[in-house]
Amino acid sequence: MKSKSLSLIILITLLAVLFAAAPARATKIRVVTTLTDLADFTRAIGGDLVEVRSLAIGVEGTHGVPMKPSFVPIMNRADLLMLVGFDCEHAFLPALLEASKNPRIQKDKQGYVDCSKGITPREMPLSTERSSGDVHPYGNPHYMLNPNLAKIAIGNIFTSLAAFAPEHRAEFTRNRDTYLAKLSATISALEKEAKPLKGVKFVSYHGHWPYFAERFGMVYFGMIELKPGIDPTARHIEEIIRTMKAENVSIVVREPQFPEKVPKSIAEQTGATMVTLPIMPGGVPNTETYIKMMDYLIKTMVSAATVKNTEKGGTQP
C-alpha cells in the first residue's frame, strides 16, 4: 500500500513539474478564416505561432461557402475568427457562429476580427429591398482584389494577433513587415506590367471587380447578372451584348464558381475574349497564395488585352 501511495505521489509531482515547466500558451493560436486570402495573410504574419484553417478552399463564391459539419468543431476551438466584413459572408457565417457555441469569436468579442475595418466601401446601395437582388447593405465587399486595400486587412490581422498574444508582438511585427515588403515589391512590378490595361473595358459575371479595375486603371463596364445574386434573363443578355458592341468592351470575366455557358456565349457574340479569373487564392491552379493570384490576374488580363489589340492591328503592349 505504501508502495502504491508513493508511486502516486511521484506521478503527481512529475506532472506538476511538467506543467509548471510548460510555457503560458503551450499550443498554437487557433485561427479560422472565412476565405483563403485571409488564411494566407494570417499564416504570413503568425508564422509557426498560429494554426490556420480556412472555411473556403478558393473555388467557392465568397458569399456562399458551402457549410459542412466539420466546420463546427473547427470554429468551436478557434481563438480568433478572421472575416472579410461588409456582410460578405452573410449567407453562411451567422449560422456557423451560432452552431459553434464559441463565445470567444462571437460578434463584438475580441476574437471576432472584421478585416474591413478602416476601408471605405464602394457602391453603397440605394435600396436593400429584396427586389434589388442580393445587395450588400454596407457596400461592395470585394475590396481584397485591390492589393493596397488588402494591406489594411493585413494590418487588422496583425493587430488582432498582437492583442491576443502580446508576448509575441515582436515576431508578428517582423513577419508583417517582411510580408508587406514582398507585397509592395509585387505591386510595383504589377503596376508596370499592367500599363496596357489602362482604359480597357470589361464585364464580369458578378460584381467582384470594381476595386481591381480602379487600382489598375481599367474600366469596369458592369456585371452579367441581372441583379446581385440573380441570373440574367435573355432580355438582359441581349442588352449587355448590344452595349458591349457599342462601347467596344473587349474582355468578359468569368469567376470559377459560375458556369461558363453564358459568359462564353456573350464573348462569342461580341468578339470579346473570355477569361476565367479567381477571386481568392486557390480559385484556379497556380494561385495558391495572394501574391501568386494577383500575378495571375494581371498576366491573364494583359494577355487578353493583347489578343484584342493584335486582332485590331495594333502593336502588342
Side-chain angles (χ1 to χ4, degrees), residues 2 12 37 53 74 83 133 162 170 174 182 191 216 257 260 266 277 279 283 290 307:
K2 285 185 177 180
I12 292 174
D37 36 23
R53 301 289 297 270
I74 291 172
L83 60 143
R174 285 194 299 274
K182 185 177 179 182
E191 285 175 339
F216 294 103
Q257 70 271 27
E260 185 182 81
I266 291 174
L277 298 181
I279 53 174
Y290 181 80
V307 168

Side-chain angles (χ1 to χ4, degrees), residues 266-309:
I266 291 174
E268 290 174 347
Q269 294 184 62
T270 58
T273 299
M274 191 195 78
V275 294
T276 299
L277 298 181
I279 53 174
M280 58 177 142
V284 301
N286 303 315
T287 61
E288 297 82 6
T289 67
Y290 181 80
I291 288 177
K292 283 186 174 182
M293 180 191 73
M294 291 307 303
D295 184 67
Y296 183 93
L297 295 178
I298 295 300
K299 282 183 167 55
T300 304
M301 280 291 204
V302 169
S303 177
T306 301
V307 168
K308 299 312 297 180
N309 190 44

Side-chain angles (χ1 to χ4, degrees), residues 4-203:
K4 288 184 177 178
S5 298
L6 181 60
S7 297
L8 182 59
I9 292 172
I10 292 173
L11 177 60
I12 292 174
T13 302
L14 288 173
L15 288 173
V17 170
L18 177 64
F19 283 104
R25 182 175 286 107
T27 59
K28 295 185 177 184
I29 303 169
R30 292 168 296 202
V31 182
V32 60
T33 71
T34 54
L35 305 183
T36 54
D37 36 23
L38 299 174
D40 186 39
F41 298 151
T42 306
R43 292 188 183 102
I45 299 170
D48 294 335
L49 297 171
V50 296
E51 174 188 296
V52 183
R53 301 289 297 270
S54 171
L55 300 181
I57 61 173
V59 298
E60 309 92 333
T62 53
H63 309 311
V65 176
M67 290 187 282
K68 302 175 183 176
S70 60
F71 289 170
V72 175
I74 291 172
M75 295 186 66
N76 174 264
R77 296 173 62 247
D79 298 308
L80 298 171
L81 165 67
M82 309 292 184
L83 60 143
V84 172
F86 291 149
D87 218 24
C88 182
E89 300 98 336
H90 70 96
F92 63 95
L93 189 56
L96 287 173
L97 275 171
E98 183 177 355
S100 76
K101 307 296 184 186
N102 182 347
R104 298 183 298 276
I105 62 171
Q106 299 298 316
K107 189 172 183 180
D108 298 327
K109 299 297 182 181
Q110 182 187 18
Y112 184 96
V113 183
D114 184 342
C115 293
S116 70
K117 185 178 180 181
I119 293 174
T120 302
R122 296 173 56 94
E123 302 178 346
M124 292 295 291
L126 298 175
S127 170
T128 58
E129 295 180 356
R130 292 186 62 85
S131 60
S132 300
D134 189 16
V135 296
H136 300 285
Y138 307 109
N140 189 313
H142 304 297
Y143 61 85
M144 209 68 80
L145 292 171
N146 177 339
N148 282 355
L149 298 182
K151 287 182 178 180
I152 297 176
I154 291 168
N156 288 326
I157 292 171
F158 163 78
T159 300
S160 67
L161 288 173
F164 184 82
E167 68 274 23
H168 298 302
R169 185 181 187 88
E171 184 168 348
F172 295 146
T173 300
R174 285 194 299 274
N175 292 343
R176 178 202 59 186
D177 293 347
T178 298
Y179 185 79
L180 287 177
K182 185 177 179 182
L183 180 58
S184 294
T186 299
I187 295 172
S188 296
L190 292 178
E191 285 175 339
K192 296 176 182 175
E193 197 170 349
K195 285 182 179 178
L197 298 178
K198 302 294 183 186
V200 173
K201 300 174 184 176
F202 71 105
V203 299

Side-chain angles (χ1 to χ4, degrees), residues 202-279:
F202 71 105
V203 299
S204 65
Y205 196 89
H206 184 70
H208 289 107
W209 305 94
Y211 295 96
F212 175 89
E214 181 184 51
R215 181 65 187 83
F216 294 103
M218 300 185 74
V219 178
Y220 184 59
F221 198 69
M223 61 183 184
I224 295 174
E225 288 179 320
L226 179 64
K227 297 175 182 177
I230 299 178
D231 290 335
T233 61
R235 184 174 180 180
H236 181 63
I237 292 173
E238 290 177 2
E239 178 64 15
I240 289 173
I241 291 172
R242 186 187 66 76
T243 55
M244 282 181 65
K245 288 179 177 177
E247 297 292 335
N248 295 316
V249 179
S250 59
I251 298 176
V252 175
V253 172
R254 173 219 166 207
E255 299 90 338
Q257 70 271 27
F258 296 114
E260 185 182 81
K261 183 178 178 180
V262 172
K264 184 178 180 182
S265 175
I266 291 174
E268 290 174 347
Q269 294 184 62
T270 58
T273 299
M274 191 195 78
V275 294
T276 299
L277 298 181
I279 53 174

